[in-house]
Amino acid sequence: MGSLYSEYLSPSKVLEHYNYTKETLDTQETPSRRVASALIILLCCAIVLENLLVLIAVARNSKFHSAMYLFLGNLAASDLLAGVAFIANTLLSGPVTLGLTPVQWFAREGSAFITLSASVFSLLAIAIERHVAIAKVKLYGSDKSCRMLLLIAASWLISLALGGLPILGWNCLGRLDDCSTVLPLYAKQYVLCVVTIFSVILLAIVALYIRIYCVVRSSHADVAGPQTLALLKTVTIVLGVFIVCWLPAFSILLLDYACTVRACPVLYKAHYFFAFATLNSLLNPVIYTWRSRDLRREVLRPLQCWRRAAGGPGRRGGTPGHRLLPLRSSSSLERGTHMPTSPTFLEGNTVV
């Protein structure tokens, strides 16, 4: 065991593993690579900015301090950290990779795994909350806050455990035949485990939303009205985006497990598949925010204030001492499930 961990600081181990799994090592910093890296970093900056705006909106308005919006804030936090982790991953990729020690490499990949898996677990937590609210017709009152916080904490603990397994020993250091081609220091068995867990999560989300759909369709007319069906449209969009963004990455990892070393050249382009999966973190706040007028208004408020400030005193609108307006309780979710004290998630008159 001691010899295994002593290899974590070896400056030649990463090069050894990449030489074994890759046909060629492209260590040149070409203009096209620099452009691609710049575009990825710009994408990640957009992820950080939009999720930061969602977090500010949720934090500053007490109307959003409820189960649904706290889960949404947790999703925004994980997506924001995913953007930061992917920026670091991009800056430490290319020619820099071969100069890393194994512990640095594990930290680089592990941070991305932790934050991206936390985004997936946050989506599962939201699906669970929606199932509880629609199918069970229960509220997260003050006596249920512990359950909500436990669910959020569990999503992060599982993500930390999942992303930290390789650095704790589940890797292929000293066992080159077991190494992944996409992630040359990770064991193929670990890659298969990650794909299996994410696939189970996907199936669970599908099952929960199918259950919600069945409950809404079998409910009375006042529940299965146009406003409640609008919720069904939103969760369908969320589920569709999740599948579209993550399915290519899952497929490439399954192929990685099945292929022998250097047998599948497409694996050398896996970074494109993971970059595409990161789009999920970009689209999540767009979907959840744009379907709620109140949250959208709150998210855009800092941008509007900055624009008025940039225009000078003469262009500032509003009245002095303006404060946040209370939110109307007119969501389709409330009317569809008879929950007058629940927060606004979808407004019937704002859904396209």
Side-chain angles (χ1 to χ4, degrees), residues 270-314:
H271 52 283
Y272 293 114
F273 295 85
F274 288 110
F276 186 71
T278 308
L279 287 176
N280 191 53
S281 297
L282 181 74
L283 296 176
N284 282 335
V286 174
I287 297 169
Y288 285 100
T289 303
W290 220 253
R291 302 288 290 180
S292 170
R293 172 185 294 177
D294 291 321
L295 183 57
R296 180 168 69 250
R297 182 187 302 120
E298 201 63 35
V299 165
L300 295 178
R301 190 186 298 275
L303 298 179
Q304 293 169 345
C305 292
W306 175 83
R307 186 177 62 181
R308 287 196 297 266

Side-chain angles (χ1 to χ4, degrees), residues 59-340:
R60 69 183 293 181
N61 197 316
S62 60
K63 286 291 184 178
F64 297 135
H65 296 175
S66 53
M68 183 62 220
Y69 283 105
L70 289 180
F71 283 133
L72 179 59
N74 183 59
L75 173 62
S78 59
D79 285 338
L80 185 152
L81 293 176
V84 173
F86 208 68
I87 289 175
N89 193 293
T90 302
L91 294 175
L92 294 175
S93 295
V96 181
T97 299
L98 302 181
L100 300 176
T101 63
V103 69
Q104 292 171 331
W105 190 94
F106 286 135
R108 185 192 77 176
E109 300 299 334
S111 63
F113 264 68
I114 289 169
T115 53
L116 290 175
S117 62
S119 297
V120 176
F121 283 116
S122 297
L123 286 174
L124 177 62
I126 290 175
I128 293 173
E129 197 279 338
R130 289 297 85 203
H131 181 264
V132 169
I134 297 293
K136 301 298 183 181
V137 196
K138 290 182 180 179
L139 289 175
Y140 285 90
S142 57
D143 56 332
K144 303 295 184 181
S145 59
C146 203
R147 180 190 306 172
M148 178 183 63
L149 294 177
L150 283 175
L151 189 57
I152 292 175
S155 69
W156 281 101
L157 287 175
I158 295 174
S159 297
L160 286 169
L162 189 63
L165 285 175
I167 202 171
L168 294 177
W170 196 357
N171 54 60
C172 63
L173 290 177
R175 296 176 290 109
L176 290 175
D177 291 341
D178 294 335
C179 287
S180 160
T181 299
V182 175
L183 302 161
L185 272 67
Y186 280 176
K188 284 190 174 185
Q189 293 77 12
Y190 171 74
V191 173
L192 179 63
C193 176
V194 170
V195 174
T196 302
I197 291 175
F198 284 170
S199 298
V200 170
I201 291 175
L202 175 59
L203 291 174
I205 293 175
V206 170
L208 286 170
Y209 285 149
I210 289 176
R211 168 63 177 164
I212 293 173
Y213 176 82
C214 292
V215 169
V216 170
R217 296 292 294 179
S218 61
S219 299
H220 298 295
D222 59 337
V223 175
Q227 294 84 6
T228 306
L229 292 178
L231 171 63
L232 212 56
K233 181 179 178 181
T234 296
V235 297
T236 301
I237 294 172
V238 171
L239 183 59
V241 170
F242 179 82
I243 293 174
V244 168
C245 290
W246 280 100
L247 187 58
F250 293 166
S251 301
I252 204 72
L253 289 176
L254 285 174
L255 184 64
D256 185 21
Y257 177 78
C259 286
T260 57
V261 63
R262 301 187 182 182
C264 301
V266 69
L267 297 178
Y268 303 139
K269 304 296 182 181
H271 52 283
Y272 293 114
F273 295 85
F274 288 110
F276 186 71
T278 308
L279 287 176
N280 191 53
S281 297
L282 181 74
L283 296 176
N284 282 335
V286 174
I287 297 169
Y288 285 100
T289 303
W290 220 253
R291 302 288 290 180
S292 170
R293 172 185 294 177
D294 291 321
L295 183 57
R296 180 168 69 250
R297 182 187 302 120
E298 201 63 35
V299 165
L300 295 178
R301 190 186 298 275
L303 298 179
Q304 293 169 345
C305 292
W306 175 83
R307 186 177 62 181
R308 287 196 297 266
R315 294 183 59 183
R316 294 181 185 177
T319 57
H322 176 69
R323 294 294 182 265
L324 299 180
L325 297 176
L327 301 181
R328 296 180 292 109
S329 296
S330 60
S331 71
S332 60
L333 182 58
E334 292 175 33
R335 294 194 293 269
T337 55
H338 301 288
M339 295 187 293

